Amino acid sequence: MAQRSGTGGRATDLSSCPAFPSALESNVKYLLAFTLAAACATAAAASTETRIPDAAVRAAEQLRDRAMNDDTAYKLVEGLTTEIGPRLAAGDNDARAREWVIAKFKALGFDKVYTEPVTYPKWVRRHESGSIVAPFPQNLVLTALGHSFATPTGGLTAEVVHFDSLDALKAADPSAIKGRIVYVGARMHRYKDGRDYGIGSPIRTQGPVIAASKGAAAFILRSAGTDATDRIAHTGVTGFADAKANGIPAAALSNPDADQLERILAYGKPVTVKLDLDVGFEGDYTGANVIGEVTGKKHPDQIVDIGGHLDSWDPGTGAIDDAAGVAIAAAAAHLIAQLPQRPDRTIRVIAFANEEAGLYGGKAYAEAHAKEVARHVLGSESDFGAAPVWRFSASVKPEARKAIAQIADVLKPIGVEYAADRSGGGGSDLSQMHAKGMAALSIGQDGTHYFDIHHTSNDTLDKIVPKEIAQNAAVYAVYAYMAAQAEGDFGSAPGAFKNDKDED
Ligand code: ZN
Ligand code: ZN
C-alpha cells in the first residue's frame, strides 16, 4: 500500500486540542472554543503534509554535485548509438538493443533487471523516393511516415492539391481531393518549450487519415521540423493503426523541398508528383519493456518511476530521441545505487518499447501496473533530448506541494525553475501511468533546437553535449532520490489527477 498521509509526517503535538465542546455556556466560550478548534485543525493538516527530511535534502545536494561531473549518461548514449545504432521498433535492432540494455543495467549495479512483453505491429521501410513530374521535373527529398501504406509497384503519379493547415483540409470538399496527392504545408518555428510541435504533429498523425477518408491517392506534408534550411526530411508515425486501416501512402518533404513545391504551385499550373514508397506492415511483433531497479530498503514495494524509450526512428541513430532519455534515467539510478545505503523506496528505470509508433510500451506498462498505481509514488520520463533542463512542474496532491518546493530548492542552483502554476504529465510513455492516477512531474529540457533534428538522419551522438546531459542526469537523480526519501506520499491513487489539463 502507498504510504498515506500522516504516517510519516512531521510530528505535531495535538495533545492540547480538546474534543469539540458538546455544551456551550456562552457566546464568548463558543468563540474561544471555535478558535482553538480551528487552530488545531490547521496543525492537524500541517502534520499530513509530505516532507523530505533535512538529511535527505543534504544527500540530494551532494548527489546533484556529483552527477554534474559524471559521464555515465553520455557514455550510455555513446554506447547505444555506436554499438546498436538505429532502433526501429520490430526491426532487427529491437532485440539487439534490448539485450544491450539488459547487460548495461546489470553492469550499472541494479538489484533487479527484467522485462515485460509488449506487442505491436511490425512496420518496415524498404525504399522511398519522390519527384516532381510536371511542370518542372526534378527529384524531391522526402521520407515515408511510420505506418504509411505503400504505393503500387513502380510508384504512383497524381496531381497535387495544396492546403495550408489541417483545418483547411478538414473543411475541404472530397471532390477536390479524390484521386489526388494532398499536400499540407504548415511551418513550425523554434521555441524553448517546442510548442509548435502542436502544429506539426497533428498534421502528420491526422492529415493522412483525413485525406484517405476523402479519397486522396496519397499525402505529403512539410516536415514537422524547425530546421528551415536543412535538406533533410523528418519521419514520425502517422495515424494508420495497422494493415487493416483505410491507409494511403504518406511522406514528409524536407523544408527546402516544401519551399520548392510551394514555389512551383504558385505558378498556378497543375503540379504532378510521383511517389515510390516501398513500405508497410508485416504482421505483429512482441518486444519488451526493459526494467532495472534499485530496491528500496524501507518500502521496497513503493516505486519512483523514471525512464526513456529504447526504440528510435531509423534514419538516425536516435541519440536525442531517445537514447538520451534511457541514459539519463539509468545514470540517475546508478548514482543513487552508489550511495552508502539503498534509498527508502525503489527507484525503477524503464526502457520503454516502441514509443514512436504510438506509446505501445507505455500503454502496456500502465495496463500491467494499473492496480498498483497508488504504490507508484511519483514518475517522470525523459523524452525531449539532452539540452539543459530549465523548468519542471508537478501534478501532486496539495499536501505534497511543499515537498516539490524542497526538490525545486535543490534544483535551482543548476538552472531549473519550478513552474508551480503548471501541472505535470509524466512524459510520453509515463503519461499513461499518470492517466491511471500516478503523481507525475514534467521535466522540460530546452527544446529550442530539438525539432531541428527530431526524427531525422541528423539525430546522432554529436548533438549531445556531455556537460548538458550530465545536468539532466543530476535533475533526475535529485528528484528520484528525494521522492524516494519523502515522508508522506504525493497523492497517487486510482483516478487521481483526472481533471489536470494535458501537459507536455
Ligand atoms: Zn521520443
Ligand atoms: Zn520521437
Side-chain angles (χ1 to χ4, degrees), residues 95-224:
R96 277 190 211 125
R98 228 177 304 135
E99 292 308 316
W100 190 95
V101 168
I102 290 167
K104 207 51 91 172
F105 279 6
K106 288 177 180 167
L108 287 169
F110 296 164
D111 302 314
K112 274 191 210 162
V113 180
Y114 57 99
T115 62
E116 293 179 348
V118 185
T119 298
Y120 34 90
K122 179 177 183 178
W123 179 87
V124 300
R125 185 197 305 278
R126 284 174 286 261
H127 75 252
E128 56 195 17
S129 65
S131 58
I132 293 170
V133 176
F136 310 128
Q138 55 195 290
N139 284 335
L140 289 168
V141 171
L142 55 71
T143 186
L145 302 181
H147 287 194
S148 168
F149 280 56
T151 55
T153 309
L156 172 159
T157 303
E159 191 180 324
V160 173
V161 54
H162 179 192
F163 299 96
D164 56 13
S165 69
L166 196 60
D167 284 342
L169 171 61
K170 283 179 187 165
D173 193 280
S175 65
I177 289 173
K178 197 166 172 32
R180 295 189 169 165
I181 298 175
V182 165
Y183 165 69
V184 180
R187 272 177 208 281
M188 281 171 57
H189 297 285
R190 292 187 181 110
Y191 293 100
K192 201 171 186 179
D193 63 2
R195 73 184 78 137
D196 266 11
Y197 197 48
I199 296 171
S201 173
I203 292 173
R204 193 192 69 218
T205 53
Q206 299 168 35
V209 178
I210 296 165
S213 75
K214 297 186 184 214
F219 179 92
I220 50 179
L221 77 153
R222 176 185 285 278
S223 276

Side-chain angles (χ1 to χ4, degrees), residues 405-472:
Q406 288 182 287
I407 295 174
D409 286 344
V410 179
L411 295 179
K412 202 170 177 194
I414 56 172
V416 184
E417 296 165 20
Y418 171 35
D421 55 332
R422 298 173 66 88
S423 49
S428 47
D429 294 284
L430 283 174
S431 68
Q432 302 301 298
M433 202 58 186
H434 178 52
K436 301 276 186 201
M438 179 184 73
L441 303 184
S442 280
I443 296 178
Q445 288 95 346
D446 183 334
T448 309
H449 293 285
Y450 183 71
F451 291 109
D452 291 358
I453 298 155
H454 182 249
H455 295 181
T456 73
S457 51
N458 265 345
D459 183 2
T460 46
L461 178 67
D462 50 290
K463 310 307 182 302
I464 307 265
V465 178
K467 280 279 175 202
E468 293 181 354
I469 197 169
Q471 185 257 15
N472 277 260

Side-chain angles (χ1 to χ4, degrees), residues 197 204 235-237 309 311-313 320-322 355-357 383 428 450-451 454-455 459:
Y197 197 48
R204 193 192 69 218
T235 189
V237 79
H309 65 84
D311 67 309
S312 78
W313 286 107
I320 66 160
D321 187 15
D322 187 26
E355 184 273 346
E356 292 291 4
D383 187 17
S428 47
Y450 183 71
F451 291 109
H454 182 249
H455 295 181
D459 183 2

Side-chain angles (χ1 to χ4, degrees), residues 220-290:
I220 50 179
L221 77 153
R222 176 185 285 278
S223 276
T226 48
D227 53 324
T229 59
D230 283 341
R231 204 173 181 193
I232 50 168
H234 299 240
T235 189
V237 79
T238 190
F240 305 127
D242 53 37
K244 294 193 286 291
N246 172 34
I248 55 174
L253 301 178
S254 85
N255 269 301
D257 287 81
D259 294 341
Q260 181 79 322
L261 177 62
E262 289 180 20
R263 265 193 302 275
I264 296 173
L265 284 161
Y267 281 75
K269 298 175 186 167
V271 176
T272 308
V273 160
K274 179 179 180 185
L275 295 175
D276 188 355
L277 308 180
D278 184 6
V279 299
F281 291 100
E282 287 187 353
D284 278 350
Y285 176 92
T286 298
N289 292 330
V290 181

